[in-house]
Amino acid sequence: QVQLVESGGGLVQAGGSLRLSCAASGITFSFNRMSWYRQAPGNQRELVAVIRSGGSTNYLDSVKGRFTISRDNAKNTVYLQMNSLKPEDTGVYYCNAISEPPYSVHPTGAYLEVWGQGTPVTVSS
């Protein structure tokens, strides 16, 4: 069963830290591009951070220097370390997996995109 399960969200004061985790199953994890998105109430979902199968990363400008995305291929898990949190970081954080070529290594043999159910993060001022 293809599944992404996020954890680690919660309520934190401004300036605090949280570490989000996303455990994957049913996919060839090491050959997936893993990303964290967030959606604040009334806003569109936005890309926060991405880590590719080769390890390269990109970040939303507003989180650069504060957030770090990492992956542990042995544990099929991607993390988002969030430091110096601000109230504007509040939202539901979603994990996303996209299969990268060659698609023959993936269980479906084709492109696949999977979303987690989301974990809420609330930063109080």
Side-chain angles (χ1 to χ4, degrees):
Q1 181 182 3
V2 178
Q3 195 173 12
L4 300 178
V5 179
E6 300 101 331
S7 61
L11 173 64
V12 64
Q13 287 188 332
S17 298
L18 284 174
R19 187 195 196 203
L20 305 184
S21 299
C22 170
S25 58
I27 61 174
T28 309
F29 182 80
S30 60
F31 286 87
N32 272 262
R33 184 179 80 192
M34 302 301 299
S35 303
W36 286 97
Y37 287 75
R38 70 186 179 191
Q39 187 167 19
N43 291 359
Q44 290 189 333
R45 193 172 296 188
E46 63 180 354
L47 177 62
V48 176
V50 57
I51 184 166
R52 298 170 185 83
S53 59
S56 63
T57 58
N58 287 100
Y59 295 91
L60 181 69
D61 283 347
S62 62
V63 308
K64 286 180 181 177
R66 301 188 297 120
F67 289 12
T68 302
I69 189 171
S70 61
R71 64 191 300 159
D72 185 336
N73 290 339
K75 295 182 178 180
N76 286 1
T77 301
V78 63
Y79 305 97
L80 185 67
Q81 178 66 45
M82 305 186 294
N83 299 328
S84 302
L85 282 161
K86 304 175 181 180
E88 50 264 43
D89 295 318
T90 294
V92 178
Y93 282 69
Y94 297 90
C95 182
N96 172 273
I98 292 179
S99 51
E100 292 182 349
Y103 297 123
S104 58
V105 305
H106 297 285
T108 63
Y111 173 90
L112 178 68
E113 182 173 14
V114 186
W115 289 92
Q117 82 288 351
T119 185
V121 171
T122 303
V123 184
S124 63
S125 57

